[in-house]
Amino acid sequence: MRNQLIQISAIISLFFLSFSCTESVPERPLGEFDRGILILNEGAFGSNDGEVYHLNPSTDELKPAIFESANGRPFAGLLQDLIYENNLMYLVANTGKIEIVNPGDFTSIGAVTSDLDQPRSLAVNSGKLFISDYGPYDADFNTPSSYIAVVRSTEGGSVAKKIPVSRKPEDLISFGKFILVAGSEEGKVEVIDSESEEVVEILEVEGSPKVFFEAQGRIYLYSTAAEEVIFYSFHLDNFTLASTNTYPISNATGKIAFGSNDIMYLLTSSGWPDYQDGIAALSLFNSTIDLNWHEGSGFYGIGFDTNAEEIYLSNANGFQGNGSVTVLDQNGEEKRSFEVGRGPSGFLMR
């Protein structure tokens, strides 16, 4: 979920350039949930019963509803994204709020609970939160007033400003003082200066931009279209397009996981009425593709555990009761499965 949920492999490194440690700052002691796998359960529409589960892959111990257990109250929202930045964990609900917790024990630290409509993801920059938000629906269920909400504290508070952007912004990523925004409906990448809190550059791209990631010193963007997927990279000195690579993968959902040996795993779905789902495996750097790496139905989220080199695949089971997770090896063979919460949509490997 960034945007959206990005798993990290040997070829992928998140933006650690601005997060170096110093001897004068003691490291925070590890808590119970600082290791393992966090499972995002979106919840069911109308019930707002999204939650986070924690799995210890060494013991297979699964702890449900860790937010409610830590805080004595339900999360009470549809969980859209789960983001770890600056030693804080951000739970983004597309029902209009952000909960901020201690990542070690999930106790509440702060929140953004007003002046949001349909938040999707967030990025931290210059001591502020930048939250992508679809904005309100109009009478025709369009979102003409999408924005990036600015909260001038990393621990929550009120929305200080709304920066207008193209319709349906999704993932965000920081570079220096700048933030790139994936405008999924209009095929735009908007660059925001975190200090001036203004859009300073707009790039046009094909497809529906979904997820940013960093690889081999460049920022990449994953974009989907009906019959293909597109990977863009950017020049970071002037925010222009550096490369465009297109692959014939149909019906990609936008859910992606980054595995070992430069392999990316992309969820696909034919949608109604067939609902033929699958996983395509793609090497971004040598362009090899396995369109039918794994097949099934009901796939809703995907992640990759770099320690065990296993693929985690979630199934919403039609939102009829709880969902489930199946663990695959790198040959696509099922190793084990277990039940989780409602609508499991992604994973954060810690």
Side-chain angles (χ1 to χ4, degrees), residues 91 151 218 240 265 269 307:
L91 285 70
V151 176
R218 283 185 172 177
T240 57
Y265 300 94
S269 178
N307 293 320

Side-chain angles (χ1 to χ4, degrees), residues 257-270:
F258 302 95
S260 58
N261 301 318
D262 298 352
I263 301 298
M264 299 184 177
Y265 300 94
L266 289 63
L267 280 192
T268 64
S269 178
S270 64

Side-chain angles (χ1 to χ4, degrees), residues 49-196:
D49 53 351
E51 251 296 355
V52 180
Y53 283 30
H54 176 266
L55 174 69
N56 183 334
S58 299
T59 63
D60 284 336
E61 180 183 10
L62 181 67
K63 290 198 171 182
I66 62 175
F67 179 90
E68 182 172 7
S69 296
N71 297 289
R73 58 182 173 88
F75 176 69
L78 295 179
L79 187 60
Q80 177 64 37
D81 205 353
L82 184 62
I83 298 155
Y84 175 71
E85 286 206 39
N86 283 7
N87 288 324
L88 293 175
M89 192 73 71
Y90 297 89
L91 285 70
V92 180
N94 63 19
T95 39
K97 69 172 183 176
I98 312 288
E99 294 274 6
I100 305 165
V101 302
N102 182 322
D105 60 14
F106 261 62
T107 54
S108 177
I109 290 174
V112 183
T113 57
S114 62
D115 295 324
L116 295 174
D117 293 283
Q118 301 179 75
R120 306 293 292 178
S121 191
L122 66 77
V124 177
N125 198 308
S126 302
K128 309 171 188 177
L129 303 181
F130 291 83
I131 304 164
S132 57
D133 197 306
Y134 280 5
Y137 285 120
D138 64 13
D140 298 317
F141 293 96
N142 297 314
T143 57
S145 302
S146 297
Y147 57 87
I148 303 300
V150 182
V151 176
R152 294 176 182 149
S153 169
T154 59
E155 296 186 1
S158 61
V159 174
K161 185 176 181 177
K162 294 181 177 181
I163 306 169
V165 292
S166 60
R167 295 187 300 272
K168 291 185 171 58
E170 293 285 353
D171 197 24
L172 312 93
I173 194 168
S174 291
F175 178 76
K177 69 169 185 173
F178 298 101
I179 299 159
L180 281 69
V181 182
S184 67
E185 188 165 281
E186 297 183 59
K188 294 182 179 180
V189 174
E190 283 136 314
V191 181
I192 292 174
D193 184 317
S194 66
E195 296 176 354
S196 66

